[in-house]
Structures are given as structure tokens and as C-alpha cells.
């Protein structure tokens, strides 16, 4: 009876964390977040991506509640950084006020702000939802340096994932729109995930907005991809650019963002 073989499987942490149960853990990461999101009646989200390294203006204030950056990460400060942070915060507020996440309709919430849950742009968008008095989601990822959740995502909707793939699935499966602020590898990873789903029609049409044309056309030569025959000219129509929070919101609405009455989705 003292042997590990005699332990109940559901209570045996060594077994549950072993290689043979990887698929079970993957399933559990889907199910736990899914049950909580359904309990809240969250039908659609507006996903906001962007750098974790972007700081708000006055971030040296000891009262600022920003989540810490990963060890070795250099924060990006300056006027453009503060501008991007404030615009992301404004967008989170605007989308929450106008999109349907403040008050349920027929028991569901639409266009709830969803981020990766960390600092920087993610924090700013969650913070904007708080400014509006609306809930927002933080899909955090467990990393070797332990990303900590920011202080603004709704506690009951602040999740932690081990698997990037399952985190991406939850980010994508309810997304009614995507707004991508300047960022690095992680931001581009998420951006191209959604662009690929759209290009291959594995996901329904959703508006995608890249914030800051000068930044995005500098770091990604979209025209070169077209000139080299790597993408179709229509693929450049999968996204638009915006320079302000108001412009980003107007673009989403113009491109077909549904306000209420959004049909339920599956993936």
C-alpha cells in the first residue's frame, strides 16, 4: 500500500505530471479556462497584442502597479512607448464601453478585452477595461522566468497556461477582432498565427488592425513578400493600420465587428 503504484491516479502528482499524461494535461488546460469563460457568458473577445516591454509615462512612480518584466528584459521607455501604452489603454476603455462587455445581453458578453495577461501593452488594454468598469481576460503563460499577471485583468478571468498552443487556441477561438500594437517575437508569433488562420480560412473573417504603420512597415516588409510571390495581393487586405485608439475602433466597426448578436463560435 506504500508503493506509488497504489496511489489513486487522480491524486498521484508524479503520474499526472509524467510524459504519458501530457495529452490529459493539454485537455485540462482547455477545459479549465473554457468552463470559467462559459460561466461568465463570454461569447466573443477583442484580442489585444503588443510588447511586454513598453512602459507608461511616469512609470517610475512607486505607486504604479505594473507587473515586473522578465529578468534581463530591457524596458522600452520614451515618448513613443508612453504614447503606445496610453493608446492601448484608451482602446481598452473605448472597446469596453462600446462593444458590449459592460452589460450582458441574453446572458452573454461580447467583445471582452483579452490579452496575454502580462505587463506593457497587455497591461494597458486590461487597464482600459478597468477604466470602463468592464471585465477583461488575461491569458498568462508559465515561463522559466515566471511571467506575473498584471494588476488589471479580472481575477476570475486571469488564467495561467503551460502550453503555448492551448493559450493561442483560447486567444483565437472567441476572437471577433484583433488589434496588434508594436512588439517583438511574441507579438509577431501571435499576429502571424491569426493571419495564417485567416489566410487559410481556418478561422472566420475578423478585422485585424496593426497599430502604428511606421513601426510595422519598418520591421516587416509586407510588400517584399508580395513582390517575391510568397503571398497573394489579397492577403494584404487581411489587415489595416491605425494611429489612434479611436481610429482603431472605427476600423474594426467598418470592417464588420459585430456589436451584440454575434453568433456563437466553435473551433
Amino acid at each position: 500500500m506504500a508503493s506509488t503504484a497504489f496511489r489513486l491516479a487522480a491524486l498521484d502528482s508524479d503520474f499526472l505530471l509524467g510524459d504519458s499524461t501530457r495529452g490529459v494535461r493539454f485537455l485540462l488546460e482547455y477545459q479549465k479556462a473554457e468552463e470559467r469563460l462559459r460561466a461568465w457568458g463570454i461569447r466573443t473577445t477583442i484580442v489585444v497584442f503588443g510588447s511586454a516591454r513598453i512602459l507608461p509615462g511616469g512609470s517610475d512612480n512607486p505607486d504604479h502597479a505594473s507587473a515586473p518584466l522578465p529578468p534581463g528584459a530591457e524596458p522600452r521607455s520614451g515618448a513613443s512607448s508612453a504614447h503606445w501604452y496610453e493608446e492601448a489603454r484608451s482602446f481598452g476603455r473605448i472597446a469596453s464601453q462600446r462593444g458590449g462587455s459592460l452589460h450582458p445581453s441574453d446572458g452573454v458578453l461580447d467583445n471582452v478585452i483579452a490579452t496575454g495577461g502580462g505587463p506593457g501593452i497587455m497591461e494597458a488594454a486590461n487597464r482600459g477595461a478597468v477604466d470602463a468598469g468592464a471585465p477583461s481576460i488575461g491569458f498568462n503563460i508559465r515561463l522559466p522566468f515566471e511571467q506575473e499577471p498584471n494588476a488589471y485583468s479580472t481575477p476570475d478571468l486571469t488564467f495561467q497556461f503551460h502550453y503555448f498552443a492551448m493559450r493561442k487556441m483560447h486567444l483565437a477561438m472567441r476572437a471577433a477582432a484583433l488589434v496588434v500594437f508594436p512588439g517583438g517575437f511574441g507579438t509577431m508569433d501571435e499576429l502571424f498565427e491569426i493571419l495564417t488562420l485567416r489566410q487559410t480560412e481556418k478561422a472566420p473573417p475578423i478585422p485585424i488592425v496593426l497599430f502604428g504603420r511606421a513601426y510595422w512597415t519598418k520591421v516587416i516588409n509586407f510588400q517584399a513578400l508580395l513582390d517575391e510571390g510568397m503571398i497573394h495581393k489579397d492577403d494584404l487586405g487581411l489587415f489595416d493600420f491605425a494611429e489612434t485608439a479611436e481610429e482603431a475602433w472605427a476600423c474594426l466597426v467598418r470592417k464588420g465587428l459585430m456589436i451584440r448578436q454575434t453568433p456563437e463560435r466553435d473551433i
Side-chain angles (χ1 to χ4, degrees):
M1 291 175 64
S3 170
T4 58
F6 194 70
R7 294 176 189 165
L8 286 172
L11 301 179
D12 188 343
S13 60
D14 293 330
F15 167 70
L16 290 175
L17 296 176
D19 183 68
S20 67
T21 53
R22 191 183 307 273
V24 174
R25 296 196 301 275
F26 198 72
L27 171 62
L28 290 173
E29 288 208 342
Y30 169 78
Q31 188 169 352
K32 181 177 180 180
E34 181 68 12
E35 285 188 3
R36 187 62 55 90
L37 292 167
R38 290 192 181 198
W40 271 71
I42 295 174
R43 180 165 58 179
T44 61
T45 60
I46 296 177
V47 176
V48 181
F49 296 154
S51 176
R53 304 184 183 199
I54 288 176
L55 299 179
S59 59
D60 56 343
N61 185 333
D63 293 330
H64 178 65
S66 180
L69 295 174
E74 293 294 329
R76 191 188 190 285
S77 57
S80 61
S81 179
H83 168 71
W84 290 332
Y85 184 99
E86 290 306 320
E87 288 296 329
R89 181 177 178 180
S90 294
F91 178 80
R93 174 181 52 79
I94 290 168
S96 296
Q97 289 172 335
R98 304 176 191 175
S101 65
L102 273 173
H103 305 289
S105 175
D106 297 326
V108 299
L109 294 172
D110 284 316
N111 300 323
V112 177
I113 291 292
T115 78
I121 291 298
M122 297 174 282
E123 171 190 296
N126 289 129
R127 190 175 181 180
V130 170
D131 294 339
S136 68
I137 304 165
F139 290 118
N140 292 266
I141 185 74
R142 186 168 187 169
L143 301 171
F145 42 75
E146 296 298 337
Q147 173 183 301
E148 293 188 19
N150 67 63
Y152 301 100
S153 59
T154 301
D156 207 38
L157 297 171
T158 299
F159 305 102
Q160 181 178 206
F161 293 88
H162 175 75
Y163 297 106
F164 269 107
M166 186 51 67
R167 180 196 194 214
K168 287 181 182 181
M169 184 170 178
H170 273 295
L171 279 163
M173 65 184 295
R174 284 180 169 81
L178 170 66
V179 178
V180 189
F181 283 78
F185 289 165
T187 301
M188 292 184 189
D189 179 39
E190 303 288 1
L191 167 61
F192 280 102
E193 178 85 11
I194 301 297
L195 283 176
T196 301
L197 288 172
R198 283 292 306 114
Q199 182 194 51
T200 58
E201 299 185 359
K202 291 287 286 183
I206 64 170
I208 300 171
V209 173
L210 306 186
F211 196 97
R213 178 189 291 267
Y215 176 85
W216 286 109
T217 55
K218 179 181 179 181
V219 300
I220 304 175
N221 193 334
F222 295 105
Q223 186 61 44
L225 292 173
L226 178 61
D227 293 342
E228 295 293 335
M230 301 302 171
I231 61 174
H232 190 273
K233 61 182 178 61
D234 292 343
D235 293 335
L236 295 180
L238 294 175
F239 56 87
D240 291 275
F241 295 99
E243 305 301 327
T244 68
E246 282 286 357
E247 186 179 347
W249 176 255
C251 183
L252 296 185
V253 173
R254 185 174 68 254
K255 289 289 188 176
L257 176 69
M258 298 296 293
I259 310 298
R260 301 293 190 196
Q261 305 307 314
T262 305
E264 291 202 29
R265 299 179 161 209
D266 202 353
I267 189 168

